[in-house]
Structures are given as structure tokens and as C-alpha cells.
Amino acid sequence: MIRKVAIASALVAIFSIPAFAATEYWVAKDAATKKCEVVTKKPDGTKLTDAGNKTYTSKADAEKALKELAACK
């Protein structure tokens, strides 16, 4: 009985982890080309710089900010 509960708990944990792994988006400006893009990793500050100084929870929000940021025009 304990084994079944442990297995069931492990399965629930394994399948729910991706739901809790929140994806964050940044608007980054390429240092060489001076073009902005939406990235899923925090800009390192050398090749890519953070153009918006903010994280976005959805790609749509980040793309909207990309169009509105003065640094990306």
C-alpha cells in the first residue's frame, strides 16, 4: 500500500513539474547588429544586452514591448 502511494506521488510530481517551470522572456539587443529580439534566457550583457530591463511572462507581451521600446526603434 505504501509503495502504491509513493509511486502515485512520484508520478504526480513528475508530470506537474513542467507546469510550475515558468518561462520568462526578455527583450534583448544584439551588440553587433543593434537589432532587438525576444529571448528566453537572460541577456549576458556582452553579446546581448537587456533592452527592456524587465522580464515578461508571455512571448506576446515581450513582442509587444519589443515594438514599443525606444531602444529597439
Side-chain angles (χ1 to χ4, degrees):
M1 178 74 171
I2 293 174
R3 184 177 180 180
K4 288 182 182 180
V5 171
I7 291 172
S9 298
L11 287 174
V12 168
I14 288 171
F15 288 113
S16 64
I17 287 174
F20 294 113
T23 303
E24 295 179 326
Y25 299 93
W26 287 268
V27 177
K29 188 172 188 177
D30 190 313
T33 64
K34 306 292 186 207
K35 291 185 180 182
C36 292
E37 61 184 301
V38 175
V39 295
T40 56
K41 292 183 181 179
K42 186 171 180 165
D44 59 6
T46 55
K47 285 181 70 178
L48 294 174
T49 57
D50 193 0
N53 297 323
K54 184 178 175 186
T55 60
Y56 301 94
T57 56
S58 72
K59 189 172 184 178
D61 289 341
E63 288 174 350
K64 182 179 176 185
L66 180 129
K67 294 176 185 174
E68 295 174 355
L69 286 171
C72 296
K73 291 185 179 182

